[in-house]
Amino acid sequence: MAYSDPVGESPGTRVRRARKRAGITQRELARRVGRAQSWVSGVENDSIPLDSIALVNILARVLRVHPNELTARPYRGETPIEDRGHSAIPEIRRHLERYDLDPEWDGEVRSLPELSAATEHAGMLRRQARYAELAEELPGLLSELQAATYLCAEPDRSAAFRLLSLIYQAADTVAYNLGYADLSVIATDRVRWAVKCSGDPHHEAVFAYLRIRNLWSSTSWNDALAVLDRACAGVEDEYTVGRPEALALWGGLQLRAAITAARKNDADEAWSRHALAAEAVARLGQRQHANYYDLCTIQPNIDIHGVAIAVELGDGPEAVRRGETVRLPKNLQASRVGHHHLDYARGLLWCGKREAALNELERAEKVAPLLIRNHPMARQAVRTLLDLERYGYRERIRRLGARMHVL
């Protein structure tokens, strides 16, 4: 789902083009999004930044475009090195589309222990946000694991489907974070299919957790909460008796609900859901380190979601207050760490702490470079800092802007 982004075209220019194509005036657009006409004018002349995912999604829905058209995602590189990850997308897409056809694998399929080790390596790349390397490994793994599901007899066949579901989840991670929203929808559906084929009783809860991000893009907040609540109801009995898998799922689903409510601008609901997730983590105790379903249902993730919720609510001071107390363990997933530094940077920027915001952006990029360089809010934060650049950090922000191609 790539959109042309002419050289020098700004976010405001893209909004103006979409508005004119929709045949509506600035006044009408302002009415539909609940803002003043001067706000729309400010967005279109780039004096008001589009610094909220929820805001981008709301504008996209009113203008009847995909959010990618307003953010110009995906951000392809200009050289083979810069384009790593993106260049693997067509082959990943092809394998996801032919999931139910005869396998193409010509060689000998490795044993389940060997395939499990390869899947774990892919999971490590996913957790470390090394999306370029992961994307390049995925086509071969998708093809070989598809063949394994055909060749293996039970119970090995169910085990092969479990591994395939994890590789589909890795494909979803790459597609979503590199900006291929349509491919993420396909990958999420493949996860649902493979988890179900593996015999996992929690396949619907896992699917709900992944599916929500695609509902966010259409601002379907109530639908998203309904999906999450239905998934929670499906594991409630096991949650009540303290099954660790159900506790982890419940916590992960409630964190998704908290972000959903925050993007809906419902602060009470958002913090209530955050508290429910924290309760699940407390009940997990030491078992949280098992990282069931790779959901990262642990206390540090609860803490960093507190910052994320404040950012989604547009509450910079609360984001900064919470960010000051967050302590990140060394083994926390790089994607979580990168997202946290980005959220904290946004809160600092809103509070006028520009150099501290730049420090956090640099930390985010260092930990998860491809994640941050492909994140529209990171790019917007860099644009804002470039517009407000000061002598003390001028060269640093320009170097970061050059790496993200926003100069």
Side-chain angles (χ1 to χ4, degrees):
M1 191 177 291
Y3 298 98
S4 62
D5 186 24
V7 175
E9 186 173 68
S10 68
T13 300
R14 291 191 288 269
V15 171
R16 183 186 301 114
R17 184 181 64 240
R19 175 181 61 78
K20 289 184 175 180
R21 188 173 59 210
I24 60 178
T25 64
Q26 287 187 347
R27 178 178 296 179
E28 178 60 17
L29 177 57
R31 185 190 69 79
R32 294 185 188 184
V33 298
R35 303 274 184 156
Q37 182 179 345
S38 59
W39 180 86
V40 174
S41 177
V43 167
E44 292 189 355
N45 66 32
D46 294 299
S47 63
I48 296 177
L50 288 178
D51 57 0
S52 159
I53 288 290
L55 181 57
V56 170
N57 292 345
I58 289 168
L59 277 171
R61 183 173 182 178
V62 170
L63 294 171
R64 297 185 179 181
V65 298
H66 191 275
N68 278 11
E69 187 164 347
L70 302 185
T71 61
R73 294 184 89 200
Y75 309 123
R76 298 294 300 262
E78 296 179 357
T79 67
I81 292 176
E82 291 178 346
D83 203 43
R84 285 190 67 195
H86 293 280
S87 58
I89 290 296
E91 193 65 8
I92 293 172
R93 184 185 299 276
R94 190 177 72 82
H95 282 287
L96 292 177
E97 291 285 6
R98 66 178 320 279
Y99 75 105
D100 59 347
L101 302 177
D102 289 341
E104 291 182 329
W105 192 256
D106 294 328
E108 182 178 350
V109 174
R110 286 174 286 180
S111 68
L112 276 180
E114 291 173 311
L115 289 172
S116 181
T119 301
E120 175 53 35
H121 181 259
M124 178 273 293
L125 294 177
R126 174 176 171 268
R127 290 187 290 273
Q128 293 184 358
R130 291 161 59 181
Y131 299 143
E133 296 167 73
L134 177 57
E136 290 168 353
E137 287 193 7
L138 285 175
L141 280 171
L142 287 167
S143 181
E144 187 174 7
L145 282 167
Q146 183 190 23
T149 64
Y150 271 73
L151 297 173
C152 291
E154 294 294 357
D156 288 350
R157 186 167 185 263
S158 293
F161 269 115
R162 183 184 65 82
L163 297 177
L164 182 58
S165 74
L166 295 173
I167 295 304
Y168 282 147
Q169 191 167 346
D172 170 60
T173 296
V174 168
Y176 185 81
N177 287 297
L178 295 190
Y180 298 87
D182 63 323
L183 188 59
S184 174
V185 173
I186 295 170
T188 299
D189 191 62
R190 300 298 179 265
V191 173
R192 181 189 201 182
W193 172 76
V195 174
K196 184 176 181 180
C197 290
S198 76
D200 191 314
H202 300 129
H203 62 274
E204 286 299 329
V206 173
F207 172 63
Y209 179 85
L210 297 173
R211 175 188 180 190
I212 293 310
R213 297 168 310 176
N214 297 309
L215 290 172
W216 287 342
S217 68
S218 61
T219 69
S220 302
W221 317 125
N222 292 334
D223 288 344
L225 289 171
V227 168
L228 290 164
D229 285 340
R230 185 172 62 194
C232 285
V235 300
E236 188 169 8
D237 289 344
E238 293 175 82
Y239 172 80
T240 300
V241 299
R243 287 283 302 277
E245 297 90 346
L247 290 169
L249 280 165
W250 180 280
L253 292 165
Q254 294 295 354
L255 286 178
R256 282 281 206 252
I259 295 297
T260 303
R263 291 187 175 182
K264 187 185 175 186
N265 202 30
D266 187 340
D268 290 342
E269 180 75 6
W271 293 118
S272 173
R273 299 291 190 141
H274 186 251
L276 288 173
E279 179 184 324
V281 167
R283 290 184 62 194
L284 270 170
Q286 291 301 312
R287 294 174 296 178
Q288 64 189 263
H289 300 296
N291 198 17
Y292 298 98
Y293 292 102
D294 212 17
L295 295 179
C296 202
T297 312
I298 57 176
Q299 187 58 49
N301 199 30
I302 298 293
D303 297 337
I304 66 178
H305 268 77
V307 178
I309 291 165
V311 167
E312 296 295 346
L313 289 168
D315 190 343
E318 180 65 12
V320 171
R321 185 187 72 79
R322 287 177 174 270
E324 290 172 342
T325 65
V326 171
R327 298 294 178 266
L328 303 176
K330 291 183 179 179
N331 62 347
L332 188 61
Q333 295 179 14
S335 59
R336 308 283 178 171
V337 176
H339 274 299
H340 169 66
H341 286 305
L342 172 57
D343 285 333
Y344 191 22
R346 293 169 67 196
L348 288 164
L349 185 55
W350 292 340
C351 291
K353 300 181 179 182
R354 296 166 189 164
E355 188 147 3
L358 176 56
N359 290 339
E360 291 299 313
L361 284 171
E362 288 176 330
R363 291 188 182 106
E365 190 205 24
K366 182 178 180 180
V367 171
L370 209 56
L371 170 67
I372 298 305
R373 293 171 192 169
N374 284 276
H375 199 296
M377 292 302 100
R379 295 167 75 91
Q380 182 57 64
V382 169
R383 286 192 193 94
T384 300
L385 284 169
L386 284 166
D387 290 341
L388 301 171
E389 70 176 37
R390 295 291 183 267
Y391 181 78
Y393 62 75
R394 179 178 298 163
E395 290 308 313
R396 290 166 57 204
I397 188 58
R398 287 183 175 179
R399 286 195 297 269
L400 181 57
R403 289 194 297 272
M404 298 178 72
H405 298 287
V406 297
L407 277 176

